[in-house]
């Protein structure tokens, strides 16, 4: 009995010195989050400089060309989901690749149904595989609910704005994907980062000529300077939610 008590005391003493595992912030999304096609860069590759990485790890699992639908169908979400642990965080940002009509063609394989409802469309691929396509909101809810079930804290970000202007103002996603992302975040009680509006406000102040410098190849993908601006907008959105635990991992000064 004395030996057992001694072992128990030793175990308690050892565990008292063990540090809890460092949390990880996972990022999922498309090429605007992770882009290896230099000089283009995604904001996810710049985000670590705004965090104290001695206290939290950043895992950028976004992949170019993916939509909410294909991020799941290709097994990418499964890998992130399996890695999530209690205390982790997840930021999701999709919307750039969802717009095509959902079907089994090359153009339509990324498309989703519009909105946040429970509508579905059943497809049969040439090899006989069946797929049920859902709405954009349905896919976001899946990420949110499954992350919560693992003890992680999910956050929803609206897509970054494109370099598209109308009457001197950046065109915003407030009538479609940005709106739907906000609706789902509210429904599920999670933090919404209005990345689209935060960055669009900055673009409006800079003006078309200056903003054009962020886009070396097209109207969607930024260079490193633009990626830093968007990463800063993500941080602005995090700071706007005062009681969000992720705030305590922000660096006091950008590294």
């Amino acid at each position: 009995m004395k030996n057992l008590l001694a072992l128990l005391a030793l175990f308690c003493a050892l565990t008292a010195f063990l540090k809890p595992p460092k949390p990880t912030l996972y990022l999922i999304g498309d090429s605007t989050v992770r882009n290896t096609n230099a000089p283009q860069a995604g904001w996810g590759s710049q985000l670590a400089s705004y965090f104290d990485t001695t206290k939290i790890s950043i895992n950028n699992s976004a992949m170019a060309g993916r939509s909410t639908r294909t991020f799941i169908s290709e097994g990418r979400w499964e890998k992130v989901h399996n890695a999530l642990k209690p205390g982790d965080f997840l930021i999701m940002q999709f919307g750039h690749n969802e717009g095509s009509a959902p079907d089994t063609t090359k153009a339509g394989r990324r498309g989703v149904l519009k909105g946040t409802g429970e509508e579905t469309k059943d497809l049969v691929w040439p090899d006989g595989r069946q797929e049920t396509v859902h709405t954009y909101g349905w896919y976001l809810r899946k990420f949110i609910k499954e992350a919560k079930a693992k003890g992680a804290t999910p956050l929803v970000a609206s897509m970054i704005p494109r370099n598209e202007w109308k009457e001197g103002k950046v065109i915003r996603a407030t009538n479609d994907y940005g709106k739907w992302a906000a609706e789902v975040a509210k429904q599920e009680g999670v933090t919404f980062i209005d990345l689209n509006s935060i960055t669009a406000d900055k673009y409006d102040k800079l003006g078309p000529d200056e903003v054009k410098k962020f886009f070396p190849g097209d109207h969607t993908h930024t260079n490193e300077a633009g990626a830093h601006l968007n990463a800063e907008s993500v941080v602005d959105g995090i700071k706007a939610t005062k009681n969000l635990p992720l705030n305590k991992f922000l660096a006091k000064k950008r590294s």
Side-chain angles (χ1 to χ4, degrees):
M1 185 67 178
K2 289 183 178 180
N3 289 338
L4 180 61
L5 290 173
L7 287 172
L8 183 60
L10 179 61
F11 175 78
C12 292
L14 289 173
T15 54
F17 289 98
L18 293 176
K19 291 183 179 180
K22 187 165 68 170
T24 299
L25 168 58
Y26 288 90
L27 310 177
I28 61 174
D30 50 41
S31 58
T32 62
V33 184
R34 178 172 175 262
N35 194 328
T36 59
N37 186 27
Q40 297 174 349
W43 60 258
S45 62
Q46 313 301 319
L47 194 64
S49 64
Y50 294 89
F51 281 86
D52 183 348
T53 53
T54 66
K55 296 179 180 179
I56 191 169
S57 300
I58 311 293
N59 181 299
N60 190 354
S61 290
M63 183 57 64
R66 272 57 184 185
S67 65
T68 46
R69 174 186 166 196
T70 55
F71 198 84
I72 293 169
S73 65
E74 293 179 1
R76 298 180 186 279
W77 169 240
E78 184 179 11
K79 290 180 181 178
V80 174
H81 178 254
N82 288 341
L84 285 171
K85 64 183 183 298
D88 284 345
F89 300 87
L90 171 75
I91 297 179
M92 61 196 76
Q93 187 237 266
F94 290 93
H96 285 283
N97 297 315
E98 271 78 0
S100 59
D103 55 34
T104 59
T105 66
K106 183 177 180 180
R109 66 181 181 83
R110 303 186 300 185
V112 303
L113 298 177
K114 298 182 185 301
T116 63
E118 295 296 329
E119 302 90 342
T120 61
K121 180 178 180 180
D122 292 324
L123 302 175
V124 179
W125 287 78
D127 62 1
R129 179 172 61 90
Q130 296 182 342
E131 181 186 9
T132 299
V133 180
H134 300 271
T135 64
Y136 176 70
W138 186 94
Y139 290 111
L140 292 184
R141 284 195 295 272
K142 177 180 174 67
F143 296 140
I144 292 168
K145 290 176 179 179
E146 294 184 1
K148 282 182 174 181
K150 294 295 291 285
T153 300
L155 300 85
V156 179
S158 52
M159 57 193 268
I160 64 169
R162 294 183 172 97
N163 184 28
E164 296 180 320
W165 300 73
K166 183 177 181 180
E167 297 177 354
K169 298 289 185 181
V170 174
I171 297 174
R172 305 182 183 223
T174 50
N175 293 322
D176 44 43
Y177 294 100
K179 173 188 174 184
W180 300 329
E183 289 175 354
V184 171
K186 184 177 180 180
Q187 291 165 1
E188 299 300 322
V190 300
T191 295
F192 175 61
I193 299 173
D194 195 356
L195 181 55
N196 189 265
S197 292
I198 295 171
T199 292
D201 286 344
K202 295 175 182 180
Y203 284 179
D204 285 347
K205 289 180 180 179
L206 289 169
D209 291 339
E210 286 299 311
V211 171
K212 186 179 179 179
K213 297 175 183 178
F214 294 144
F215 294 87
D218 55 36
H219 62 21
T220 301
H221 302 97
T222 66
N223 57 17
E224 187 172 318
H228 269 300
L229 185 146
N230 282 303
E232 187 176 77
S233 295
V234 172
V235 173
D236 291 343
I238 292 169
K239 289 180 177 178
T241 307
K242 300 300 182 184
N243 61 346
L244 181 65
L246 189 56
N247 274 291
K248 67 181 181 181
F249 298 105
L250 291 171
K252 292 181 180 179
K253 292 183 179 180
R254 180 182 150 193
S255 60

